[in-house]
Amino acid sequence: MNRNNFLIHLALAIVLILIAAFAGQLNRWRKDWKNRVGMFPVAQKKRPATPTDMALAESQISGRPEVLVKFKSGVSLQTIEELTTRFHDRVEDRIENAPGWESIDDLDDAEASRTVAQYLALPEVEYAEPNFEIHIPDSTDTPLLPFPSDPRFEDQWALANSGQRGGTQGADISAMRAWATTTGSDKVVVAVLDSGVDYTHEDLAPNMWKRPTNIAAYHDDELGTIDDEDGFNAIENASDPMDQNGHGTHCAGIIGAEGGNDIGITGVNWKVRIMPLKFMNAGGYGTTKDAVEAINYVINRKKAGVNVRVISASWGSTQKSRALEDVIRKAYENDILFVAAAGNASTNNDRSPHYPSSYNVPNVVSVAALDRNDQLAKFSNYGVKSVAIAAPGKDILSTWLGNQYEEKSGTSMATPVVSGVAALIVAEHPRISVDDLKKRLLAAVDPLPVLQGKVATGGRVNAAKALQ
Amino acid sequence: MAISKEDAVEKARRDLAQRLNVDASEIKESVEDSEFPDMALGAPEDGEMSGQMMTDGWRIRLATGGKTFEYRADKNQVRLYKYKGKNYRI
């Protein structure tokens, strides 16, 4: 070997030693990571742990396919290897101090849950589970999904049904899992077309819409200019949308009572902007003409640059109005979803339509009401062709006039639940079209046997699924 | 100002007496607590929309001349239900 060859070989040897040392360190890092304390699916490595992750780990088994399998005693190593080879897996490690347990890597990168199911189906297997990633809980970690600090959250069965007051555990919209993705955005505006809103309510005030200073006051050729700083009052063609009934305030709270503020309740959205529109009076009723005026106002504001994406309409009657239908269609053309109450007459809307929920306009989502046991509420209208979806709508706690809270029932209450979920979707997908928004909303249901043949989707809205 | 049950019954009696041109003392009444399907008490006037919230109130049945008429009321309103096929807010 001449001197030049010797130097080349020496350099190569040094490089190889460095590579081997680095690989060894990587392996040690990996093992250290696994030995930490706390539960995470392996797939959750992309970002630092948040307080939401631990509970997600309990409910979501996804990502890198690494499972722990306990084979029954007497199953030979050869059999184990044959089985893992058959599944295109490999035994990564044997756990000496836990006889029968094997750590198995799935070379196909299938979901851990599927791999677990595959092994559980084998007669040779006693048990199989995903290999949870472990971490040390820090001071900000909590053992559960995002749990708002609002003291009456525990009464909000629609958001998290633990079986309280005779309810059925899990008969809810999976709000907590949804909040692991987003709790809403103050860039999303939801128009509450109702009896107005008590915009001074302490649980609503931070989430109320205010006309941005860069957007001019509302001008209508017939009505003149209205300083719509706080919203719009179509009854008086004025600026003040203060609620004198309570119904609109209740609906607004369901959509967006501020979450995590240590006060009262939380809305489906912790953060959102509620645009209050008043067309119903202190008695809770109003005219079709004023409803049309208010929707016209929303469209005008959208065109002026306000990001209003949803109109929540917890009202109706059996009287059809062409003017109302036309203006809702106009809202569709301006990318605004129109969520409407199916009605409370216990009747079939396919046979006896209820408006505006029964208008055949693409942006209309008609909502039926469920009780805390996932049963269609006795009062709720239904219709497999004309009612799209169901949502909690009985004994719903929400904001009321004078910083109060009350439980109310009706498809009025189910409607803002769906509007709220739509707002969460927009928060997560700001550019989503109204067609895709509706599609996503309706695809994200938990099917319920009682809703088969009753509503088109056959299911209850699920906020977590809507955000996936 | 909130309407009481007694106020509602009195208002209904006066309305019926006027409509039928009868003496209010000739009208017999029965009243029961009731839950209505919406905020127009299930008796919307033409062109009227109402909040779809279940609403507590009173069903007031008034009888005179062999006929019975139904009024519906809550703390906010009194309505005559299906009088000659139409609803009236009074």
Side-chain angles (χ1 to χ4, degrees):
Chain A
M1 185 184 290
N2 63 30
R3 183 182 170 78
N4 283 346
N5 279 347
F6 172 76
L7 287 175
I8 289 167
H9 280 95
L10 183 63
L12 277 173
I14 291 169
V15 168
L16 286 171
I17 289 166
L18 286 172
I19 289 171
F22 184 63
Q25 182 60 41
L26 276 180
N27 200 35
R28 277 192 292 281
W29 283 341
R30 185 164 170 266
K31 286 195 169 157
D32 285 348
W33 181 251
K34 282 185 180 175
N35 287 334
R36 292 184 197 174
V37 184
M39 285 183 31
F40 270 77
V42 176
Q44 299 284 330
K45 262 189 194 171
K46 285 183 281 184
R47 57 178 168 74
T50 70
T52 66
D53 288 334
M54 288 183 72
L56 271 179
E58 293 168 3
S59 58
Q60 294 177 358
I61 300 168
S62 63
R64 213 169 73 185
E66 206 166 323
V67 295
L68 296 170
V69 179
K70 186 177 188 185
F71 288 90
K72 287 177 181 165
S73 65
V75 177
S76 69
L77 292 179
Q78 190 187 346
T79 305
I80 291 170
E81 281 182 1
E82 281 170 7
L83 290 169
T84 52
T85 304
R86 192 202 305 169
F87 292 150
H88 197 220
D89 299 341
R90 72 180 175 86
V91 176
E92 190 194 65
D93 194 13
R94 298 211 156 81
I95 303 160
E96 288 78 10
N97 291 316
W101 281 100
E102 310 281 340
S103 168
I104 290 175
D105 230 356
D106 185 333
L107 302 176
D108 300 320
D109 276 355
E111 283 196 2
S113 57
R114 213 161 69 187
T115 310
V116 165
Q118 213 169 28
Y119 280 96
L120 283 173
L122 294 174
E124 294 88 350
V125 167
E126 187 177 317
Y127 199 71
E129 64 185 28
N131 179 26
F132 286 108
E133 191 168 282
I134 310 297
H135 83 135
I136 300 166
D138 60 33
S139 58
T140 61
D141 279 347
T142 58
L144 294 169
L145 285 164
F147 196 93
S149 60
D150 309 78
R152 301 196 67 182
F153 176 65
E154 288 174 16
D155 295 325
Q156 293 187 270
W157 69 265
L159 304 180
N161 194 337
S162 59
Q164 63 268 55
R165 288 170 54 188
T168 299
Q169 191 172 3
D172 57 47
I173 67 162
S174 298
M176 291 170 75
R177 283 179 52 223
W179 293 334
T181 304
T182 180
T183 53
S185 165
D186 57 12
K187 293 181 173 55
V188 178
V189 182
V190 178
V192 176
L193 179 50
D194 212 286
S195 55
V197 176
D198 179 358
Y199 48 80
T200 65
H201 195 294
E202 60 183 351
D203 220 356
L204 291 172
N207 280 344
M208 295 307 298
W209 176 80
K210 291 264 183 197
R211 177 169 54 78
T213 50
N214 63 334
I215 290 180
Y218 178 54
H219 179 81
D220 179 283
D221 287 344
E222 287 73 40
L223 306 178
T225 300
I226 294 167
D227 182 10
D228 58 330
E229 192 185 350
D230 296 312
F232 180 57
N233 179 337
I235 300 172
E236 297 167 356
N237 291 322
S239 57
D240 190 358
M242 177 53 77
D243 186 6
Q244 294 167 302
N245 175 274
H247 182 266
T249 301
H250 200 270
C251 294
I254 293 167
I255 295 166
E258 189 184 34
N261 63 354
D262 300 331
I263 298 171
I265 61 161
T266 181
V268 175
N269 296 260
W270 296 21
K271 290 187 297 286
V272 70
R273 285 292 174 262
I274 291 165
M275 175 191 277
L277 305 168
K278 180 173 183 173
F279 89 99
M280 294 194 292
N281 60 17
Y285 46 87
T287 66
T288 306
K289 179 231 161 219
D290 288 344
V292 170
E293 286 284 4
I295 297 168
N296 192 54
Y297 168 85
V298 176
I299 295 168
N300 177 293
R301 299 291 76 184
K302 179 79 194 299
K303 287 178 174 172
V306 178
N307 187 34
V308 55
R309 300 299 314 276
V310 181
I311 295 174
S312 195
S314 289
W315 45 270
S317 87
T318 53
Q319 296 163 29
K320 191 172 185 178
S321 158
R322 182 67 190 271
L324 185 56
E325 183 176 0
D326 284 354
V327 78
I328 292 169
R329 194 178 302 278
K330 204 75 184 162
Y332 169 64
E333 290 164 8
N334 284 276
D335 228 17
I336 300 169
L337 192 72
F338 193 91
V339 185
N344 300 339
S346 315
T347 52
N348 185 343
N349 285 1
D350 294 350
R351 292 182 190 156
S352 309
H354 180 271
Y355 302 104
S357 60
S358 291
Y359 289 129
N360 187 20
V361 181
N363 58 337
V364 171
V365 176
S366 175
V367 185
L370 293 166
D371 67 14
R372 64 176 73 235
N373 290 301
D374 262 345
Q375 299 298 307
L376 189 67
K378 282 181 184 163
F379 56 76
S380 181
N381 288 5
Y382 53 91
V384 73
K385 292 178 186 160
S386 56
V387 179
I389 196 167
K394 191 161 187 292
D395 305 326
I396 304 297
L397 181 70
S398 188
T399 43
W400 200 257
L401 302 181
N403 286 331
Q404 299 298 307
Y405 298 85
E406 291 200 6
E407 277 188 5
K408 297 290 180 186
S409 298
T411 49
S412 270
M413 284 64 243
T415 298
V417 172
V418 174
S419 300
V421 174
L424 285 178
I425 295 172
V426 177
E428 187 65 8
H429 304 280
R431 293 175 188 280
I432 195 168
S433 69
V434 65
D435 289 326
D436 287 345
L437 176 58
K438 181 174 173 179
K439 210 179 291 174
R440 182 175 272 267
L441 198 57
L442 300 188
V445 298
D446 287 327
L448 297 176
V450 293
L451 296 179
Q452 305 308 311
K454 295 284 187 184
V455 303
T457 58
R460 172 192 3 91
V461 67
N462 183 309
K465 283 185 183 174
L467 296 174
Q468 282 170 4
Chain B
M1 193 172 135
I3 300 171
S4 68
K5 188 200 287 192
E6 291 72 26
D7 291 342
V9 173
E10 185 53 35
K11 200 170 177 182
R13 289 176 68 93
R14 278 204 309 269
D15 179 77
L16 189 64
Q18 197 172 7
R19 282 180 194 275
L20 301 180
N21 198 22
V22 297
D23 194 312
S25 62
E26 295 173 17
I27 299 172
K28 292 180 180 170
E29 68 186 44
S30 71
V31 186
E32 62 183 19
D33 291 348
S34 195
E35 187 179 45
F36 298 109
D38 56 44
M39 300 176 81
L41 312 180
E45 290 188 325
D46 287 346
E48 196 175 54
M49 299 284 166
S50 69
Q52 295 300 299
M53 185 172 82
M54 302 303 287
T55 304
D56 290 331
W58 312 287
R59 200 181 300 269
I60 304 164
R61 291 194 176 88
L62 302 181
T64 184
K67 286 186 178 173
T68 301
F69 303 87
E70 182 175 323
Y71 285 80
R72 297 179 174 189
D74 73 350
K75 62 182 180 181
N76 293 312
Q77 60 194 311
V78 181
R79 290 172 183 259
L80 174 54
Y81 178 68
K82 288 193 175 171
Y83 177 75
K84 296 180 180 175
K86 289 184 80 171
N87 301 316
Y88 296 90
R89 185 159 33 89
I90 63 172

